[in-house]
Amino acid sequence: MPTFDYSEFPTLRTERLVLRELRGSDAEDLFAVRSDPYVQRYNSVPHTDVSESAEMIERLTELFAKHEWIHWGVALRENDKLIGLYSLGWNEGHRRAEIGYDLNRAYWGKRLASEALGAMLAFAFDVLEVNRLEAQTIADNHESTRLLRKFGFQLEGVRRGYSLEEDGEFHGGAIYGLLRSEYEGGQA
């Protein structure tokens, strides 16, 4: 059985990134991610003030304290600048987790999303010993679906007309899953 007990925040390191605990001082950098209408077009209403991002950091920190979710601030190793937010909600009893991710658009196309996701998947499978990871995304969010497929996630279904988005259209909600046996079979 997994031994993770939430007593200490799990910091993850990659070649170029640190996935770390969010801090109040990250509010402006988080605002840069959460206020971008293009990044948030299939996620949530964009933030309009940095105070919303500061409040979000407080809420996400509380979820970790309640042992419900882990929200990592994705920061550059070179200067600790926050460029994204990755999350994992773990159901210990069923040994599964749900993941989510946001990355500042200025850092797209540099393989940083893949680098951060790879670290989070290794943590989920190796430390938490999950059997299943899943991600929910809008089917038309091609950046997100491409990232998931790259790591072997399989489309398990689309809930038609699931989400009314900023473009005024209803979009299908796609569910992707990755099993431990598929993960161990090789990664991107």
Side-chain angles (χ1 to χ4, degrees):
M1 259 330 251
T3 58
F4 185 74
D5 66 2
Y6 286 86
S7 62
E8 185 176 321
F9 193 88
T11 300
L12 311 177
R13 288 179 174 75
T14 70
E15 180 182 339
R16 298 177 292 170
L17 301 171
V18 177
L19 282 70
R20 60 164 172 75
E21 191 169 10
L22 289 164
R23 303 180 207 128
S25 60
D26 292 323
E28 286 189 27
D29 289 338
L30 182 59
F31 180 70
V33 177
R34 299 299 289 199
S35 65
D36 184 329
Y38 188 78
V39 173
Q40 297 304 313
R41 74 194 185 284
Y42 300 125
N43 192 8
S44 61
V45 176
H47 290 182
T48 57
D49 189 87
V50 72
S51 64
E52 293 173 275
S53 298
E55 291 169 7
M56 181 180 196
I57 290 170
E58 290 177 18
R59 284 192 313 275
L60 300 181
T61 301
E62 289 172 10
L63 290 174
F64 180 78
K66 292 178 182 177
H67 301 187
E68 294 178 12
W69 280 83
I70 302 169
H71 289 86
W72 285 278
V74 178
L76 297 172
R77 283 185 85 147
E78 65 188 41
N79 59 12
D80 200 38
K81 177 181 177 54
L82 185 94
I83 63 166
L85 179 67
Y86 276 49
S87 63
L88 186 145
W90 180 35
N91 182 315
E92 183 177 7
H94 292 290
R95 294 187 45 203
R96 69 175 179 246
E98 181 178 344
I99 62 167
Y101 41 85
D102 263 337
L103 191 68
N104 183 318
R105 189 166 33 145
Y107 296 91
W108 289 11
K110 301 176 189 313
R111 299 191 44 84
L112 293 168
S114 295
E115 195 170 318
L117 184 57
M120 190 168 63
L121 296 183
F123 176 81
F125 285 113
D126 298 340
V127 176
L128 301 182
E129 299 178 8
V130 299
N131 182 60
R132 173 186 169 78
L133 283 175
E134 61 187 40
Q136 299 184 45
T137 189
I138 299 304
D140 296 328
N141 186 345
H142 302 296
E143 293 93 346
S144 181
T145 59
R146 190 171 34 251
L147 178 64
L148 293 169
R149 287 192 313 266
K150 177 181 178 178
F151 280 90
F153 280 81
Q154 295 181 32
L155 177 64
E156 296 180 337
V158 176
R159 296 168 289 189
R160 298 172 301 129
Y162 181 73
S163 182
L164 179 62
E165 296 299 333
E166 296 294 314
D167 61 5
E169 301 288 327
F170 285 96
H171 292 263
I175 300 173
Y176 282 82
L178 178 65
L179 299 178
R180 170 180 287 284
S181 59
E182 297 161 342
Y183 176 75
E184 292 174 342
Q187 285 304 295

